[in-house]
């Protein structure tokens, strides 16, 4: 059972992205909330996620897990 | 207490007045004005010729599928002629002559069978329902209309038409039962034209007459020679008068014949003989009226010619109007009309989607 | 304001509309002397007489077919089909005529009728008395389809349905009939047909439902809020057709997660359309698969097992939690 | 050619043999064996007492809604007694006595009205359909079964039961028509118990008898005193024999009375008078059989007692069996059974979903 | 192998099954002497006689109700309802009995019947003769619902339907009846009910359809391939209930983009269930909203406007392009 405060991680509107992009982000260890959106309507695209993943992976060694992502 | 016969009231009757040879049973002959007789004759001719012309148009691809009425002119016109304009007419799909009598423009009928929903529109003031295709379903509407008229203490009557096949449907039974229970001013006119597509009357039901089905509802039932316009009129007038006077519904079986195919999509050669058709051709409802009117001195051969050519001219004009109106109905977006008093959002959205699609399509066509 | 059950509120709607408008006629099996098997029409015959409250023979097609004729004439028939499980017998009258006569006559004739019928399970009823097949009517072009969830909205919606110029199928959740009372004002009150209702504000997940399922959904929402800090938003559709999707789409965009609840079988059920609308209009905001908590694709079992068949608060809570646990 | 009465064949008859006072019309008295007479009596008593006991159980919350048969024992048993085991019985929802006669265990009936689908199972070898609730829908199944028997050149007959209200439904009409057209070996037994919930027979249809509805199909029709088991049996036997011999269908109207409520959810006080019930109580079908059998020396007061207490004991045992079986039916997953010969994937998935849900629920319950 | 139209292939299926099994009985309006208004039963009465090819009076409920009795007896009735637009008249017989008798009798009785009926538009037919309301049957628990798309699969599926131990609703796309010919082997051929078919392999987008829409969908796919280098995968459902979603889910996972095509009205239509299944089972693979290209939520217009009502290759191409243009 989740702690009540766990819910607060979900505060704020969802980031706009297709479900496939969400999966990609998850697989690449990218927090969608940290990604610059270039798609129509402020949508995060798969390319945005890939770029963000590169940015994460290149300078640092440790990928950010979604659980560790900071709340927005 | 013992084993006793059960008496059934509601006596059934058979009525015929004007026979195949044009001879009339003068004891039964109704006292119709010359005007009414000639009007009946004119509409019989118009109905017949319009039917034949529609068949040509259909064969030329200028009309879609329709159901010819040939042979049933007396059944239809004898019945509707007993109605007043304030009464209601609830047709099936084979009542072209009745519709014309009531005021439906020929071009509406052409539009409808030409594939345009606009053909379903009945002129203001004409209290008819549109063509009803699901067999027997319309009978209940006539019961409802008549119920409402009675509720409103109006003296309107509702007459509904259907075929021999329709008597097998559950809705037929429910309609007659409700009409009898509420004693609604409804006149049920069964055009027993001997066939339901390929099913002969004898296989439709085991009862020897359709009229006797009225006994199940304690309703007056009458079988009439449906090719005898005088008999049909007499029966219908009695029924309409009784209904109007608060005497409740009547069931009339008109024994007639569908001389042509079921619809233009049908091939009657598969299921019936030419002899049968020939036999009924001798009973043609129009021929015998002509003899009758001629004998009465109301119709000369010249006048007969004139009636026919007037009909043809009217038909020709109607066809022209039809084809002109059809040209103005090209916009597919019109299919969104007349669904609700106010168009709901999702239909507005779908119409807009179609509009944009057609626009681009047209543009692409222009560029190509 | 008097506290009323849904049965009483519906009865009041009928009574008041009949008083205002002599075009309104109530008809159906046992609606007169008996007052309806659920007593929705109780007392109306005493007040308005057998000309306006019409006991009919046992024939659903005739009840509806006759209503169509009455409506074309200019009356406002409100017919009752005793249980929605018997409304199949009048299906062709609705599909071929009630929904179409405006179109078939190109606007010359209209069919301002209401078909009232109780639907759904949960009252230990006989076979064929507990079904939910609202999709059959919701899918039919030319119809409106309303399902109230409580006494007050039932009354307001029935008044709107009676006044509506087009045919309205009015499904009454029989499990709600006497389940609880609400304040229902004596004064006139209507609700627009075609508008859904925000039944509970929230932020974490959107629950969409209607009819008898509104109560277990709200119960689940309260439990989630109290024990888990989850604040579900709850939408009560009220009208299934025409479907107002603005509220659902807005809410889904806000919460990103949606659970749909209905009694009807799952496959090709009403929930599917809701999913499709959300996918069409809020796709990029969905963080998790939309869940359907529904009746199973089974013949409704007799009452000994209906509790297990029907969605309940527990199943809804579980589905919400799983939806929230799903990765974004 | 003129206006003539239409003759209708199919003479209707009324039949009554054993009156309220237990007096018999000896000219009509059927020659039944003592064994059969006593068996009929025993089932009438069993039917009555089982009904009363079910009502108690329902009032105690141990059964759901059901439709009592009180008063209709003669109608049901007189009719089914004319069937052979190889014949088919297609009931409506108020044929408890007929079902018992045919072999349905009382616990099945209790299970069904206790909310368990398992109650719908008919024992192997017993050719009955389950209870049919949608009024009049089952008549068509009896026509289909009889059609099939005829096709197979078997001499099986199908008998179907329904109420006075059922005669208003379209399916009634369609079934009688089809049966007559195909001359199927079908016996239509209408239990005219004067009420369809709150609708009296007089408002159900305007026809003075229901039997006369047979005329619409050119089918033999018979109205019998439905509280007279000898008359019902005689009529049914004639109809069954005729059907078996290839003579086609028969319509029998049993004039009887629903002495209790429509179902346990109904309050007849809202629509009918105590006097009416009292009047029909005097016509009780069981009382007159008792007098008849006593007069024939076939039944002593002691034997009457014994029949009643045997019935009670059997009922008591059945209730125990019901309650024991019900205990074994707790698994909701059983609702997934008997939908298709092979369970499709989506149902396997849904069953698994429910299984997991119930498992967790149980676990949570254990932990709490 | 002889080239056959769908009408001929269906006729062959009936003929061969009737030859093999004297339990198979064909019945309906005009199926005998006339050979059916579309000639699907042509010649059968000459071969098998009026005891096995039964012309019935005009009553749909009776046709189906009688078939149910015949099936319970042990026969294998194949009844025809002349047009699906009249099958509402037998709706209660299907809902209350055909689909339920196995369950209601707890396995004692079964209803191995087939209800054949032509559905859909495109043949310039009369009012009520062009509808697509497959959802009504697909949503009903206890039924199987099959819609073939071409002569060969129609024949194989009809054979399977006749042999199926449970009731099968068999919708025949009348627009396909005589539209084209296919090789149909004289030897026995069956297709499993409940399996969809990969009608075209592709990679960029998944098109899901069935019945008469398979042809315009394949046409659209070819055009997309030829002019735009887009390779659509096309799935032909063949069975609507029980719905086999494995192929759709797999394909959607591969392409990420899906367009659904059917003639039936959009709202609460069959497409909605497909969207819902994809959302449930392939959610995280969807790159763009699933699109529905369908009939409008309108009363089917008479034939002068039916082309604009029905989805066509052009509308499908457009929807595919828009779906592919949507940002992932
Ligand atoms: C409920 C229904 N079932 C089937 C059809 C197809 N159909 C159209 S007309 C017809 C025969 C009608 O026969 P009948 O009632 O005698 O009228 P007729 O065509 O002879 O005028 C049939 C079967 C239909 N329109 N409606
Ligand atoms: C098609 C249908 N409509 C309505 C009902 C609800 N209902 C159940 S029994 C009944 C009355 C039946 O009357 P009748 O046929 O006389 O049989 P009885 O109950 O008197 O035995 C009604 C209206 C139903 N079961 N089926
Ligand atoms: Mg019906
Ligand atoms: Mg005919
Ligand atoms: Mg009764």
């Amino acid at each position: 059972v989740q702690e009540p405060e766990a819910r607060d991680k979900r505060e704020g509107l969802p980031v706009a992205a297709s479900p496939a992009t969400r999966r990609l982000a998850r697989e690449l260890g990218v927090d969608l909330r940290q990604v610059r959106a270039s798609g129509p309507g402020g949508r995060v695209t798969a390319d945005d996620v890939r770029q963000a993943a590169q940015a994460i992976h290149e300078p640092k060694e440790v990928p950010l897990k979604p659980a560790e992502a900071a709340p927005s | 207490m013992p084993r006793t016969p059960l008496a059934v009231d509601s006596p059934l009757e058979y009525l015929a007045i004007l026979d195949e040879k044009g001879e009339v049973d003068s004891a039964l002959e109704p006292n119709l004005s010359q005007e009414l007789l000639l009007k009946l004759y004119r509409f019989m001719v118009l109905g017949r010729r319009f039917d034949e012309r529609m068949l040509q148009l259909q064969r030329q691809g200028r009309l879609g599928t329709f159901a010819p009425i040939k042979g049933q002119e007396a059944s239809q016109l004898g019945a509707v002629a007993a109605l007043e304009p304030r009464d209601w007419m609830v047709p099936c799909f084979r009542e072209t002559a009745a519709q014309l009598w009531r005021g439906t423009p020929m071009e509406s009928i052409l539009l409808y069978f030409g594939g345009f929903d606009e053909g379903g529109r009945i002129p203001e003031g004409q209290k008819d329902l549109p063509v009803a295709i699901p067999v027997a379903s319309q009978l209940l509407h006539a019961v409802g209309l008549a119920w409402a008229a009675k509720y409103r203490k109006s003296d309107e009557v509702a007459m509904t038409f259907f075929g021999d096949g329709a008597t097998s449907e559950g809705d037929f039974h429910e309609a007659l039962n409700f009409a009898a229970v509420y004693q609604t001013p409804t006149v049920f006119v069964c055009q027993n034209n001997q066939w339901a597509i390929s099913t002969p009357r004898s296989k439709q039901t085991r009862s020897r007459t359709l009229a006797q089905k009225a006994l199940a509802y304690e309703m007056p039932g009458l079988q009439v020679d449906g090719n005898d316009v005088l008999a049909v009129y007499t029966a219908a007038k009695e029924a309409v008068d009784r209904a109007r006077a608060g005497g409740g519904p009547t069931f009339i079986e008109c024994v007639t014949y569908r001389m042509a195919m079921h619809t233009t999509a049908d091939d009657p050669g598969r299921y019936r003989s030419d002899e049968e058709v020939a036999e009924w051709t001798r009973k043609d409802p129009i021929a015998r009226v002509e003899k009758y009117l001629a004998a009465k001195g109301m119709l000369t051969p010249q006048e007969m010619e004139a009636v026919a050519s007037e009909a043809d001219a009217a038909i020709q004009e109607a066809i022209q109007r039809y084809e002109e109106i059809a040209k103005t109905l090209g916009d597919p977006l019109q299919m969104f009309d007349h669904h609700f008093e106010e168009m709901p959002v999702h239909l507005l959205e779908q119409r807009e989607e179609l509009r944009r699609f057609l626009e681009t399509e047209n543009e692409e066509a222009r560029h190509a | 304001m008097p506290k009323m059950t849904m049965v009483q509120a519906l009865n009041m709607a009928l009574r008041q509309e009949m008083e205002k408008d002599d075009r309104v006629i109530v008809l159906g099996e046992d609606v007169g002397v008996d007052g309806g098997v659920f007593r929705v029409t109780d007392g109306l015959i005493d007040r308005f007489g057998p000309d306006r409250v019409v006991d009919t023979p046992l024939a659903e097609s005739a009840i509806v077919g006759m209503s169509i004729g009455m409506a074309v004439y200019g009356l406002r028939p409100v017919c009752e089909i005793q249980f929605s499980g018997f409304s199949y017998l009048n299906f062709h009258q609705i599909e071929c005529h009630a929904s179409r006569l405006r179109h078939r006559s190109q606007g010359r004739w209209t069919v301002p009728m209401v078909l009232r019928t109780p639907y759904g399970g949960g009252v230990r009823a006989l076979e064929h008395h507990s079904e939910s097949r609202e999709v059959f009517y919701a899918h039919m072009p030319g119809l409106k389809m309303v399902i109230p969830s409580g006494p007050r909205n039932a009354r307001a919606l029935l008044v709107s349905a009676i006044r509506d110029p087009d045919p309205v199928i009015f499904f009454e959740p029989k499990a709600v009939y006497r389940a609880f009372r609400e304040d229902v004002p004596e004064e006139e009150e209507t609700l627009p047909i075609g508008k859904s209702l925000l039944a509970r504000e929230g932020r974490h997940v959107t629950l969409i439902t209607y009819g008898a399922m509104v109560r277990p959904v709200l119960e689940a929402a309260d439990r989630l809020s109290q024990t888990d800090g989850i604040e579900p938003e709850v939408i009560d559709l009220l009208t299934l057709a025409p479907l107002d999707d603005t509220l659902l789409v807005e809410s889904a965009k806000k919460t990103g997660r949606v659970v749909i609840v209905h009694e009807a079988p799952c496959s090709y059920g009403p929930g599917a359309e809701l999913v499709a609308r959300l996918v069409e209009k809020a796709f990029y905001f969905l963080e998790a698969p939309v869940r359907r908590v529904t009746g199973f694709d089974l013949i409704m079992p007799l009452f000994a097992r209906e509790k297990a068949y029907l969605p309940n608060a527990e199943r809804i809570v579980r589905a919400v939690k799983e939806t929230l646990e799903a990765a974004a």
Side-chain angles (χ1 to χ4, degrees), chain A, chain B, chain C:
Chain A
V1 178
Q2 302 219 14
E3 303 284 283
E5 54 270 38
R7 298 268 51 84
D8 292 330
K9 289 190 184 148
R10 294 209 55 268
E11 290 300 324
L13 296 181
V15 177
S18 76
T21 302
R22 294 178 197 282
R23 181 172 57 99
L24 184 69
R26 189 167 1 110
E27 283 168 2
L28 296 179
V30 171
D31 177 4
L32 279 179
R33 265 167 280 233
Q34 312 294 332
V35 177
R36 198 187 48 83
S38 72
R43 205 177 288 155
V44 175
T45 67
D47 279 347
D48 296 340
V49 170
R50 282 190 206 97
Q51 269 175 23
Q54 261 179 356
I56 295 166
H57 286 254
E58 274 166 11
K60 294 191 218 160
E61 281 292 302
V62 196
L64 198 62
K65 289 198 207 105
E68 295 165 351
S72 56
Chain B
M1 194 183 88
R3 187 154 191 149
T4 48
L6 261 184
V8 179
D9 215 22
S10 295
L12 297 177
E13 284 183 317
Y14 177 78
L15 180 66
I17 298 172
L18 177 65
D19 75 8
E20 299 168 34
K21 302 184 219 79
E23 270 159 36
V24 70
D25 184 329
S26 51
L28 296 171
E29 186 183 4
N31 184 15
L32 303 189
S33 68
Q34 172 162 354
E35 193 195 336
L36 179 57
L37 284 169
L38 287 176
K39 186 175 171 192
L40 279 166
Y41 172 65
R42 275 203 312 279
F43 273 89
M44 287 173 81
V45 171
L46 179 66
R48 173 74 55 97
R49 297 181 91 89
F50 184 50
D51 203 58
E52 286 167 350
R53 194 72 180 86
M54 286 213 291
L55 194 53
Q56 288 170 352
L57 293 175
Q58 196 280 333
R59 295 309 192 215
Q60 295 161 359
R62 290 159 75 193
L63 266 192
T65 308
F66 81 99
I69 63 160
K70 188 174 177 181
Q72 303 182 212
E73 296 85 354
S75 277
Q76 297 181 20
L77 291 166
V80 275
L83 292 180
E84 300 293 329
R86 68 178 180 285
D87 295 324
W88 294 82
M89 204 270 281
V90 183
C92 194
F93 48 79
R94 200 189 295 284
E95 275 77 41
T96 309
Q99 288 177 298
L100 295 179
W101 177 278
R102 294 278 294 172
T104 305
M106 280 184 273
E107 55 268 33
S108 288
I109 295 169
L110 293 166
L111 281 167
Y112 178 79
F113 290 115
F116 293 97
D117 295 281
E118 284 78 357
R121 170 130 201 133
I122 284 119
E124 218 53 54
Q126 186 184 330
K127 289 158 77 180
D128 298 1
L129 257 51
V131 157
I133 289 189
V135 168
S137 60
Q138 75 279 13
L139 275 65
L140 289 160
H141 311 157
V143 178
L145 288 165
W147 190 98
K150 189 171 170 181
Y151 171 70
R152 283 302 190 204
K153 306 205 176 348
S154 141
D155 72 349
E156 297 150 56
V157 169
M159 176 181 283
T160 182
F161 287 95
F162 50 98
D164 43 314
T167 65
S168 295
E169 287 283 8
D171 277 0
F172 164 83
H173 173 72
E174 298 186 16
L176 268 76
N177 193 43
F178 270 54
V181 164
Y182 298 118
Q183 289 290 291
T184 61
T186 316
V187 180
F188 296 96
V189 181
C190 178
Q191 292 190 68
N192 171 7
N193 64 5
Q194 311 307 325
W195 292 93
I197 308 188
S198 73
T199 308
R201 158 63 191 84
S202 60
K203 287 190 174 172
Q204 194 63 244
T205 180
R206 203 164 187 262
S207 73
R208 278 172 309 161
T209 69
L210 299 179
Q212 80 196 58
K213 292 186 188 286
L215 297 178
Y217 317 99
E218 210 88 34
M219 188 191 289
L222 207 60
Q223 189 186 54
V224 303
D225 179 346
N227 284 6
D228 166 357
V229 74
L230 300 183
V232 176
Y233 179 84
T234 303
K237 189 73 171 59
E238 260 182 41
V240 167
D241 289 348
R242 175 165 49 233
R244 207 184 295 294
T250 303
F251 178 61
I252 300 171
E253 174 191 359
C254 298
V255 180
T256 179
Y257 194 71
R258 191 198 80 208
M259 292 172 75
M261 59 289 288
H262 166 68
T263 67
T264 49
D266 174 50
D267 171 13
R270 294 178 73 97
Y271 52 79
R272 73 181 185 188
S273 68
D274 292 345
E275 293 78 62
E276 184 182 299
V277 181
E279 198 186 303
W280 280 90
T281 304
R282 284 192 292 278
K283 301 188 190 165
D284 190 295
I286 298 184
R288 66 176 87 166
V289 172
E290 284 172 350
K291 286 180 200 146
Y292 173 69
L293 292 178
K296 275 185 115 65
M298 289 181 182
L299 192 68
T300 64
Q302 294 75 359
E303 282 163 341
M304 267 167 63
E305 284 288 322
V307 166
S309 53
E310 269 165 38
D312 289 347
I315 292 165
Q316 203 45 45
E317 279 166 32
I319 294 170
Q320 271 161 21
R321 281 196 300 277
Y322 155 56
E323 294 190 328
E324 260 149 47
I325 297 171
K327 275 186 222 137
T328 70
L329 299 178
D331 184 1
L333 292 180
Q334 287 165 329
M335 72 181 163
F336 282 83
D337 298 344
H338 300 305
H339 280 76
F340 297 98
E341 182 149 303
E342 234 179 283
M343 199 180 291
V345 176
H346 71 293
L347 290 188
L348 290 169
E349 285 173 4
Q350 293 183 9
R351 189 174 61 175
E352 178 56 19
E353 188 192 314
L354 179 59
R355 199 195 53 72
R356 266 187 289 121
F357 172 78
L358 296 169
E359 200 174 78
T360 339
E361 205 176 37
N362 284 342
E363 241 155 63
E364 279 170 14
R366 256 200 304 281
H367 290 289
Chain C
M1 279 197 276
K3 289 256 183 210
M4 288 189 184
T5 62
M6 186 185 273
V7 164
Q8 292 166 327
L10 291 166
N11 184 271
M12 175 164 112
L14 290 169
R15 179 169 42 76
Q16 291 183 339
E17 286 307 290
M18 291 184 81
E19 258 157 20
K20 283 208 191 80
D21 185 350
D22 72 353
R23 294 174 304 172
V24 181
I25 306 288
V26 163
L27 69 158
E29 294 157 15
D30 309 294
V31 297
V33 178
D34 199 38
V37 294
F38 286 105
R39 307 289 178 253
V40 172
T41 55
D42 195 23
L44 296 180
I45 197 168
D46 303 324
R47 200 164 188 124
F48 302 104
D51 279 357
R52 295 189 61 198
V53 185
V54 185
D55 274 318
T56 66
L58 213 178
E60 287 72 14
S61 181
I63 292 167
V64 174
M66 187 162 96
S67 297
I68 291 169
M70 291 158 78
V72 167
Y73 191 93
L75 304 182
R76 302 239 152 191
V78 182
C79 69
E80 174 177 306
I81 297 298
Q82 210 160 68
F83 289 89
S84 68
F86 308 127
S87 76
Y88 314 126
L89 286 134
N90 53 58
F91 212 58
H92 60 294
Q93 286 291 347
I94 296 289
E95 217 280 346
C96 303
H97 297 295
S99 70
R100 289 177 190 244
L101 258 169
R102 181 189 283 274
H103 186 253
R104 293 183 46 233
S105 70
Q106 295 283 292
R108 174 74 198 282
W109 304 121
T110 61
V111 188
M113 67 178 276
V114 180
L115 184 157
R116 291 181 40 242
T117 191
Y119 87 100
V123 303
R124 292 171 54 93
L126 284 164
E127 215 178 335
H128 306 285
H129 285 66
S130 301
E131 276 69 16
S132 298
R133 299 276 186 275
E134 47 276 18
V135 155
F136 293 162
Y137 292 106
H139 182 54
M140 246 184 234
L143 284 186
K144 297 183 183 178
M145 212 229 154
V146 172
I147 309 189
S149 60
R152 186 161 180 177
N153 63 41
R155 186 277 194 120
L157 284 164
L158 183 53
V159 171
S160 299
I162 293 171
R163 299 185 188 172
D164 198 279
D166 284 297
V168 180
I169 308 294
F170 197 89
F171 264 39
E172 298 170 359
K174 67 175 88 68
V176 180
Y177 265 158
R178 296 168 200 284
F180 60 97
R181 288 167 190 271
E182 273 179 0
D183 291 324
V184 181
E186 184 64 29
E187 312 78 72
E188 168 165 326
E189 202 172 56
T190 60
L191 268 175
I193 291 175
K195 281 267 160 273
S196 54
L197 176 86
L198 190 66
R200 183 187 197 284
E201 258 188 275
R203 359 180 221 142
H204 300 119
V205 60
T206 302
L207 308 184
I208 312 176
T209 190
Y210 56 88
M213 286 294 112
V214 171
R215 292 237 302 171
V217 165
L218 287 173
E219 185 194 328
D222 285 347
R223 273 164 59 183
L224 285 160
S225 165
Q226 278 155 26
T227 64
D228 302 281
I230 298 167
E231 294 302 336
E233 185 135 304
V234 176
I235 294 171
D236 179 353
L237 292 178
L238 294 178
T239 298
L240 260 66
L243 180 63
D244 170 23
D245 56 27
T246 44
L247 213 52
L248 349 168
V249 167
E250 256 170 47
S251 179
K253 283 185 175 172
K254 183 168 79 175
T255 65
R257 308 197 177 223
V258 181
V259 174
I260 293 163
V261 182
H262 59 65
E263 293 179 54
C266 186
S267 291
Y268 303 97
E273 180 61 25
L274 303 176
V275 178
R277 294 287 179 102
L278 292 170
V279 165
E280 279 158 8
K281 299 187 174 180
F283 180 72
Y284 295 104
F285 300 87
L286 294 177
E287 294 181 335
V290 180
R291 268 289 285 272
R292 293 184 283 175
V293 180
T294 70
F296 300 103
D297 285 349
L298 298 178
I299 290 153
M300 179 89 196
L302 294 186
F303 68 80
R305 293 194 186 95
E306 72 175 335
K307 277 205 182 134
Y309 178 88
L310 295 170
N312 58 23
E314 187 51 39
R315 265 175 74 198
I316 299 161
V317 163
R318 198 82 64 84
V320 169
K321 287 188 182 169
E322 284 168 16
T323 300
L324 286 170
E325 278 155 22

